[in-house]
């Protein structure tokens, strides 16, 4: 007889916990209980959420905590850990599999009620690593939100004038990273997204991959625009980067920018089921070195290509798999974002999102790559 799988247990809110949202497709800002037992998913909700949950949650059973407390002979003031333990025992659960993020205090409370928890090794829901067609559609919608932000950014930059000392001015005032980010984030909100730490980094700041950017933007300098909103409707993330320049590019800037674009094309053409992410990553680093951009430390700081080629994308901005540690499978969704950061010239990164197929990839992002605006 095959060994019976452990019931799965999550106690978390679904606005921040991706596994809970994946299991229920239902947004709740406060922690609630999910029991996934013998292929049947049950959630326990407060009076505030129970009616909405019965209408919207994609589970098999929605129970009222108030009604369950009565059934169990407990008071409304019963601590949640006692309620959860008694409820689980009433469902003949003495041991449950939980995510690695399961609260320690709750684990101790359940233990006092005779229920032990076992942290999952790796992914809690293995299917999350391979996106369904329905999920790919939701991801494409999230990418469209990123594209709306990029469209607004390029619109503003095109309208900006290059003033004295190459300072950009727009609508009669200096164009700063903060002002352009506000325009991008407003477009993201209008498109149905929730902006998150949008990057608008120009000049020297663009040589630091995670620098958000601050202060005045200048003409004739490379500007990295990295926009990664969450869809307010589905919870899936978009993630897209373009590098642009308002004005005229120097030969060195153009060579850097074109090298990054060529490197990204190399990566996308090499991706398919069975491909090793580490080998692809190393090949693009080698190509960049051949083009005059080795990855190295120079004068106390890194330059070249010193971050990963990409990461998994879905209900989390950075989720499994990591590009450099995966053998690719059909249905995986990965960002493809090689970059070169070269002080004295600038930084450039191009990022798109691709779903792995048997023989290649399906690119989910569509915004054009243009250097000079």
């Amino acid at each position: 007889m095959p060994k019976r799988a452990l019931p799965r247990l999550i106690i978390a809110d679904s606005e921040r916990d991706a596994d809970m949202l994946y299991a229920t497709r239902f947004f709740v800002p406060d922690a609630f209980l999910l029991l996934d037992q013998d292929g049947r998913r049950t959630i326990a909700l407060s009076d505030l959420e129970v009616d909405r949950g019965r209408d919207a949650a994609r589970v098999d059973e929605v129970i009222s905590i108030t009604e369950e407390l009565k059934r169990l002979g407990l008071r409304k003031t019963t601590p949640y850990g006692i309620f959860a333990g008694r409820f689980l025992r009433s469902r003949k659960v003495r041991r449950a599999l939980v995510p690695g993020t399961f609260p320690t205090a709750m684990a101790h409370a359940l233990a006092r009620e005779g229920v032990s928890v076992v942290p999952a090794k790796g992914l809690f829901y293995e299917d999350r690593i391979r996106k369904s067609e329905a999920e790919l559609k939701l991801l494409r919608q999230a990418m469209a939100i990123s594209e709306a932000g990029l469209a607004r950014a390029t619109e503003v930059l095109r309208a900006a004038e290059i003033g004295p000392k190459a300072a950009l001015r727009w609508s009669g005032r200096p164009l700063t990273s903060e002002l352009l980010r506000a325009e991008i984030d407003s477009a993201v909100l209008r498109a149905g997204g929730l902006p998150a730490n949008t990057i608008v980094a120009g000049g020297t700041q663009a040589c630091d991959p995670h620098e958000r950017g601050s202060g005045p933007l200048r003409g004739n300098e490379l500007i990295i625009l990295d926009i990664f909103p969450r869809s307010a409707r589905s919870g899936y993330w978009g993630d897209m980067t373009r590098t642009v320049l308002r004005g005229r590019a120097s030969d060195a800037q153009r060579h850097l920018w074109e090298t990054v674009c060529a490197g990204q094309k190399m990566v996308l053409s090499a991706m398919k089921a069975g491909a090793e992410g580490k080998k692809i990553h190393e090949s693009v680093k080698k190509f960049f070195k051949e083009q005059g951009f080795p990855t190295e430390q120079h004068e106390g700081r890194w330059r070249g290509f010193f971050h990963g080629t990409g990461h998994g994308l879905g209900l989390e901005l950075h989720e499994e798999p990591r590009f450099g540690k995966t053998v690719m499978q059909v249905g995986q969704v990965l960002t493809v974002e090689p970059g070169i950061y070269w002080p004295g010239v600038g930084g450039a990164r191009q990022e798109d999102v691709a779903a792995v197929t048997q023989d290649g990839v399906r690119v989910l992002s569509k915004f054009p790559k243009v250097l000079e605006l």
Side-chain angles (χ1 to χ4, degrees):
M1 180 179 292
K3 187 176 180 180
R4 187 177 181 183
L6 282 178
R8 294 173 184 268
L9 172 68
I10 307 176
I11 299 177
D13 70 86
S14 55
E15 290 197 352
R16 290 173 294 181
D17 189 282
D19 287 318
M20 182 66 97
L21 184 57
Y22 181 79
T24 64
R25 304 292 174 172
F26 178 58
F27 284 107
V28 179
D30 299 312
F32 63 105
L33 181 150
L34 163 77
L35 175 63
D36 191 338
Q37 183 180 27
D38 297 328
R40 181 177 174 83
R41 292 177 181 175
T42 299
I43 57 174
L45 296 174
S46 68
D47 292 343
L48 181 66
E49 303 289 359
V50 69
D51 291 335
R52 190 169 66 90
R54 285 169 177 158
D55 289 337
R58 297 185 190 177
V59 296
D60 300 292
E61 181 184 20
V62 177
I63 64 170
S64 160
I65 291 177
T66 298
E67 293 173 5
E68 196 66 14
L69 285 168
K70 290 179 183 177
R71 189 184 71 81
L72 294 170
L74 300 173
R75 297 179 180 178
K76 283 188 175 182
T77 56
T78 299
Y80 199 91
I82 295 175
F83 158 72
R86 301 284 176 88
F87 167 73
L88 291 169
R89 286 173 54 192
S90 75
R91 297 291 175 108
K92 303 189 184 306
V93 175
R94 296 293 185 273
R95 196 162 175 258
L97 188 71
V98 298
T101 55
F102 195 83
T104 302
M106 183 60 66
H108 286 300
L110 292 177
R112 290 192 290 270
E113 295 299 316
V115 179
S116 63
V117 298
V118 180
K121 296 178 181 178
L123 294 173
F124 189 67
Y125 284 114
E126 292 286 341
D127 287 347
R128 279 186 57 199
I129 205 169
R130 293 173 295 276
K131 274 46 176 192
S132 66
E133 283 297 322
E135 287 180 290
L136 292 178
K137 182 177 180 180
L138 295 174
L139 279 161
R140 176 68 194 108
Q141 291 169 356
M143 296 306 299
I145 297 171
S146 293
E147 291 163 8
L150 281 167
R152 181 56 179 160
T154 55
E155 179 183 29
V156 170
L157 285 166
R158 282 196 173 101
E161 298 177 350
I162 302 176
K165 297 183 180 179
L168 293 180
R169 294 185 64 80
W170 176 70
S171 293
R173 52 182 166 164
L175 181 60
T176 62
S177 291
E178 292 86 349
L179 178 55
L180 186 54
R181 181 161 41 245
E183 290 296 315
I184 292 168
D185 289 352
S186 294
V188 163
L189 286 165
R190 287 193 296 270
L194 303 172
N197 297 311
T198 300
I199 291 173
V200 180
T204 301
Q205 293 179 359
C207 295
D208 186 340
H210 277 173
E211 170 61 52
R212 290 190 67 201
S214 62
L217 294 168
R218 300 189 180 281
N220 310 316
E221 289 187 344
L222 293 167
I223 302 171
I224 291 178
L225 306 168
D226 191 346
I227 304 173
F228 37 99
R230 191 184 194 200
S231 168
R233 184 175 182 180
S234 71
Y236 282 83
W237 290 79
D239 198 359
M240 192 181 308
T241 305
R242 293 292 183 264
T243 302
V244 299
L245 180 147
R246 175 68 179 99
R248 303 293 293 178
S250 68
D251 290 343
Q253 290 168 330
R254 186 175 297 278
H255 176 54
L256 186 150
W257 188 89
E258 289 178 347
T259 299
V260 171
C261 290
Q264 193 200 42
K265 286 181 180 178
M266 282 181 55
V267 174
L268 289 167
S269 65
M271 292 173 67
K272 63 180 180 179
E276 296 182 34
K278 183 178 180 180
K279 288 183 178 179
I280 296 174
H281 175 75
E282 292 301 325
S283 70
V284 76
K285 281 181 67 176
K286 180 175 181 288
F287 170 70
F288 287 167
K289 182 177 181 180
E290 291 168 350
Q291 296 299 311
F293 302 107
T295 299
E296 60 187 11
Q297 281 196 312
H298 178 74
E299 298 181 351
R301 65 175 296 166
W302 282 100
R303 68 180 184 179
F305 178 32
F306 48 90
H307 58 71
T309 297
H311 55 82
L313 184 73
L315 287 171
E316 293 175 282
L317 178 59
H318 295 93
E319 66 179 33
E320 293 296 328
R322 292 180 60 184
F323 193 103
K325 294 194 172 183
T326 189
V327 176
M328 295 179 186
Q329 304 174 33
V330 172
Q332 286 181 343
V333 171
L334 294 152
T335 66
V336 181
E337 50 181 304
I340 297 173
Y341 311 92
W342 207 259
V345 178
R349 182 169 64 251
Q350 304 287 5
E351 178 183 19
D352 289 286
V353 175
V356 178
T357 67
Q358 188 63 46
D359 301 315
V361 294
R362 187 196 322 177
V363 179
L364 304 182
S365 41
K366 298 179 180 179
F367 201 81
K369 297 179 178 73
V370 178
L371 172 55
E372 294 177 337
L373 301 175

